[in-house]
Amino acid sequence: MTFVSVQYVAFFLTVLFIYWRLSHRHQIWLLLVASYGFYAAWDWRFCFLMALTTVVDFFVGIGLERTSDQRARKRLFGLSVGLNLTVLGFFKYFDFFSHSAVQLFNHFGWHLDEPTLNILLPIGISFYTFHGISYTFDVFRRQLEPTHSFPTFAAFVAFFPQLVSGPIGRAHIQLPQLANPRVRPSRETVASAVSLILLGFFKKIVIADALAPYVTQTFETAGHEGAVQLILGTYAFALQIYGDFCGYTDIARGSARLLGVELPLNFRQPYLSTSITEFWRNWHISLSNWLRDYLYVPLGGNRGAAWKTGRNLMLTMLIGGLWHGAAWTFVVWGGLHGLMLTVERFLIHPKVIPDRRFRWRDIPAMFITFHLVCAAWIFFRATSFTQAFQYVGGIVTLRTGPIDGPTLAAVALAAALSFALDLAQRNGRRENPVQGLSPPAQGAVVGVLLLGIVIFSGEAGSPFIYFRF
């Protein structure tokens, strides 16, 4: 287990030990203090930034409730959204846009000096600012009653299990859970939470971290690798980011469940999807829903002419791509998905059936969808367009080259494990496939998971990929 993981486990167990010995009121204060302490472990200075947006959003919510004047409400709403987007834009995108602007002017012969502010990116800023925006948005639309308890609202924004990598919280789901007294988890709930945390560490350490070195090596030498090796590297990254992000989500959801809070589901076996439309209903679900409710629908959604629907899809996915990172490669990644979603919507009309069991006849559609997703992942992972085009060029031209045996073995093992877990979840209709087994079988599976974590935890682990978003 990585040092960061050990730190988190020790921190969480300490909080949990105290938590259920306190009254409801004091539990909220503990969550708030623990969340800010957790955030301060990365950089204590940015706690003030998160506190600023939290205070403004809280009082804007109260102001929206107390006034019926639509102009005043719009000004309050604009203050909250404007502050959150300004904070997000400055810290995450200032260097990106200033660098892009300087390059553009230089292209036309106007040589400018690039401002160098060396702005640090506050960890989790993309997540907690979205918490505040969604809260203000729902209160403004009178879909949510604002909370009058500042500690409760602040704990919702900074809730440490989901603070740095989601799932993106929704106020109408989590605020009532925090505002009302929580019931101590039953034995069954504790078992499901612990097994979910264990499964998350397994996905992170055994699948994602084990693949990370092969992914890095393949992308760094993309201009020299053969087509087969490049394809293996693409598969490796697809499995790495899934194991990494889904693993974090499992850990976050299991941790929150032990605290009496249920976080939204964020993944639903996305690589078993039969279309890109279905993929986005199963991948990073909390972001997909956020973009739908607060961007796609306000833009007009699927109302109006077909070209407007296509425009709204493209804008939503382009902005969704930029949300992931301050680089044009992320914008291209979002644009590729927007294009595929638009083509599917108007030419293919895919049918999305929630919680459909695996069927052998779906394999061709799953195969095509997975490879379309993998093709877009190349731009997501590449550090520059040069690297991305070298990578794509090597595959398209069928460049010859050796196949790295360890990479092939690692990808095959990770794919088998990922597919087995997803298939067990899909056909068992359970978020945690361990729960549906008999006690002896559960013990055997838990033992295998622990053994895998111990065996693969010898090397220094990689940071969670979404920490930098």
Side-chain angles (χ1 to χ4, degrees):
M1 190 178 297
T2 66
F3 179 60
V4 173
S5 300
V6 172
Q7 280 185 317
Y8 176 79
V9 171
F11 168 79
F12 178 75
L13 290 177
T14 302
V15 172
L16 186 65
F17 178 79
I18 302 171
Y19 183 78
W20 290 111
R21 287 166 172 77
L22 300 176
S23 65
H24 170 247
R25 178 171 173 270
H26 291 106
Q27 284 178 347
I28 290 296
W29 280 106
L30 175 62
L31 286 180
L32 182 56
V33 171
S35 296
Y36 272 81
F38 178 78
Y39 196 69
W42 273 273
D43 195 320
W44 62 269
R45 296 170 297 177
F46 290 127
C47 289
F48 296 102
L49 186 65
M50 183 167 60
L52 171 64
T53 59
T54 300
V55 169
V56 171
D57 292 339
F58 173 74
F59 284 106
V60 163
I62 293 176
L64 289 171
E65 178 189 41
R66 292 179 177 176
T67 181
S68 58
D69 181 81
Q70 197 61 20
R71 289 185 178 180
R73 298 185 84 250
K74 287 182 178 179
R75 286 195 294 269
L76 286 169
F77 175 69
L79 171 64
S80 172
V81 174
L83 175 64
N84 279 286
L85 291 181
T86 299
V87 167
L88 180 62
F90 178 76
F91 283 93
K92 188 169 183 176
Y93 301 108
F94 179 85
D95 287 341
F96 165 64
F97 282 118
S98 64
H99 177 69
S100 298
V102 168
Q103 284 188 318
L104 179 64
F105 280 111
N106 289 345
H107 178 75
F108 288 103
W110 300 343
H111 298 286
L112 302 176
D113 292 329
E114 186 173 339
T116 54
L117 298 183
N118 296 320
I119 299 171
L120 295 176
L121 178 65
I123 192 169
I125 191 172
S126 297
F127 292 92
Y128 73 72
T129 51
F130 270 29
H131 291 172
I133 292 173
S134 65
Y135 170 77
T136 307
F137 218 117
D138 288 349
V139 174
F140 175 74
R141 294 190 295 193
R142 301 192 186 280
Q143 296 176 344
L144 176 70
E145 293 292 327
T147 178
H148 289 261
S149 170
F150 179 76
T152 301
F153 178 72
F156 156 68
V157 173
F159 190 49
F160 72 86
Q162 69 183 126
L163 176 59
V164 292
S165 286
I168 298 173
R170 298 295 288 269
H172 72 277
I173 296 175
Q174 286 174 242
L175 273 178
Q177 296 185 65
L178 294 171
N180 298 316
R182 285 161 295 286
V183 179
R184 186 183 293 269
S186 64
R187 181 178 299 179
E188 292 75 15
T189 301
V190 170
S192 70
V194 171
S195 58
L196 197 58
I197 293 171
L198 184 62
L199 189 62
F201 277 120
F202 182 85
K203 292 176 181 177
K204 167 61 177 169
I205 296 172
V206 178
I207 296 177
D209 286 357
L211 289 171
Y214 304 109
V215 173
T216 300
Q217 176 65 26
T218 304
F219 272 85
E220 286 180 349
T221 59
H224 309 287
E225 299 288 355
V228 176
Q229 181 65 25
L230 292 172
I231 293 172
L232 284 176
T234 309
Y235 292 160
F237 179 68
L239 295 167
Q240 179 201 6
I241 194 171
Y242 181 37
D244 189 283
F245 195 16
C246 186
Y248 179 92
T249 299
D250 287 344
I251 295 168
R253 296 186 70 229
S255 301
R257 186 171 295 170
L258 290 175
L259 296 169
V261 177
E262 200 64 36
L263 296 181
L265 186 68
N266 214 24
F267 292 91
R268 194 186 293 110
Q269 305 89 51
Y271 289 154
L272 298 182
S273 301
T274 57
S275 67
I276 299 298
T277 302
E278 185 179 354
F279 173 80
W280 275 104
R281 295 189 184 182
N282 294 329
W283 175 275
H284 204 346
I285 299 170
S286 62
L287 176 64
S288 299
N289 291 344
W290 198 100
L291 292 173
R292 179 197 64 200
D293 295 343
Y294 303 113
L295 187 57
Y296 179 68
V297 171
L299 283 172
N302 54 10
R303 303 185 301 273
W307 71 268
K308 291 184 178 179
T309 299
R311 176 204 63 188
N312 298 338
L313 275 173
M314 283 299 299
L315 284 174
T316 299
M317 295 310 298
L318 286 170
I319 294 173
L322 188 60
W323 176 88
H324 281 83
W328 288 112
T329 49
F330 289 108
V331 178
V332 170
W333 172 78
L336 289 172
H337 275 279
L339 180 62
M340 290 187 288
L341 287 170
T342 302
V343 170
E344 279 190 353
R345 183 175 187 87
F346 296 111
L347 297 181
I348 302 175
H349 309 291
K351 294 182 180 179
V352 179
I353 303 175
D355 301 324
R356 181 172 60 190
R357 292 171 63 88
F358 173 80
R359 302 179 303 179
W360 288 104
R361 64 175 179 270
D362 290 332
I363 289 181
M366 290 179 181
F367 180 85
I368 294 172
T369 300
F370 176 72
H371 283 82
L372 289 173
V373 170
C374 283
W377 279 138
I378 294 173
F379 288 88
F380 189 99
R381 175 59 177 80
T383 56
S384 65
F385 280 129
T386 299
Q387 188 181 79
F389 290 137
Q390 286 178 341
Y391 206 105
V392 174
I395 295 175
V396 173
T397 59
L398 300 178
R399 184 192 299 148
T400 58
I403 301 172
D404 182 59
T407 302
L408 177 60
V411 170
L413 176 60
L417 292 172
S418 297
F419 181 75
L421 289 172
D422 279 4
L423 196 61
Q425 287 180 319
R426 176 66 62 89
N427 287 350
R429 300 184 186 277
R430 293 178 181 272
E431 65 172 6
N432 190 339
V434 178
Q435 289 180 268
L437 303 175
S438 63
Q442 286 188 26
V445 172
V446 168
V448 170
L449 294 178
L450 285 171
L451 181 62
I453 292 171
V454 171
I455 292 175
F456 283 86
S457 61
E459 301 293 331
S462 303
F464 284 99
I465 294 174
Y466 269 69
F467 273 17
R468 67 177 187 265
F469 299 147

